[in-house]
Amino acid sequence: MEVLKVIGVIAGLILVLMFVVGMNDHTQKKYNYEIFNWYNLAATAVGYAFLIFGRSWYLEAAGKGGDILNGIILIGIGIVIIGFVVRNNIKKTSLKFGLLFSVVQLALYIPASIVAAYGLFIAFAFFAQTKPVYSINGR
């Protein structure tokens, strides 16, 4: 049964990849713009991070009776960043196409943002290369 689950996940990922590549080919030919690109992924991931941390900050402050404005500001910044991605998609394509595929894009970028964040953390850890500290005077 586990093998079927793995095969199903791989097949689903291949279908999503085929969809993304097909949509990029279509938008590249028709609008000279790729709707699924690294810049949109990076901006959306940052926007989602602001939303998540802003919500967390808001709920923590609301639970303690503290200042909730910080969380609201972070949520607002996240919404503005994601709004710029949607606006850019609409500007580069048409209104109907841009809105429809911005919703699809934002849904697909949720798990992609999580994977990108883990990749970024791993890259930071790799490039940090923390070295051990040695005591020179023997203590």
Side-chain angles (χ1 to χ4, degrees):
M1 191 66 175
E2 295 296 321
V3 173
L4 290 177
K5 289 180 185 177
V6 170
I7 291 172
V9 167
I10 291 172
L13 290 174
I14 290 172
L15 286 174
V16 169
L17 178 66
M18 289 172 49
F19 172 77
V20 167
V21 170
M23 286 314 306
N24 273 347
D25 288 343
H26 173 71
T27 56
Q28 185 65 35
K29 288 176 187 172
K30 189 168 183 176
Y31 301 107
N32 197 25
Y33 172 70
E34 289 184 344
I35 200 158
F36 296 98
N37 58 44
W38 291 107
Y39 302 111
N40 284 345
L41 174 60
T44 304
V46 169
Y48 284 150
F50 273 103
L51 290 174
I52 290 168
F53 292 124
R55 180 180 180 271
S56 173
W57 201 339
Y58 173 82
L59 292 176
E60 183 179 331
K64 294 180 180 178
D67 185 16
I68 60 171
L69 185 60
N70 295 327
I72 292 172
I73 290 172
L74 288 180
I75 291 170
I77 292 171
I79 290 171
V80 167
I81 291 171
I82 292 173
F84 276 127
V85 171
V86 173
R87 180 185 165 273
N88 189 39
N89 287 341
I90 293 170
K91 182 179 172 185
K92 302 281 183 162
T93 63
S94 65
L95 176 67
K96 181 180 171 184
F97 190 85
L99 279 177
L100 176 67
F101 282 98
S102 289
V103 171
V104 173
Q105 177 188 44
L106 294 177
L108 288 177
Y109 280 175
I110 292 172
S113 296
I114 295 169
V115 171
Y118 281 124
L120 192 60
F121 294 146
I122 290 171
F124 281 146
F126 176 76
F127 289 116
Q129 296 182 4
T130 306
K131 305 283 189 233
V133 177
Y134 297 103
S135 176
I136 296 175
N137 56 3
R139 289 188 194 174

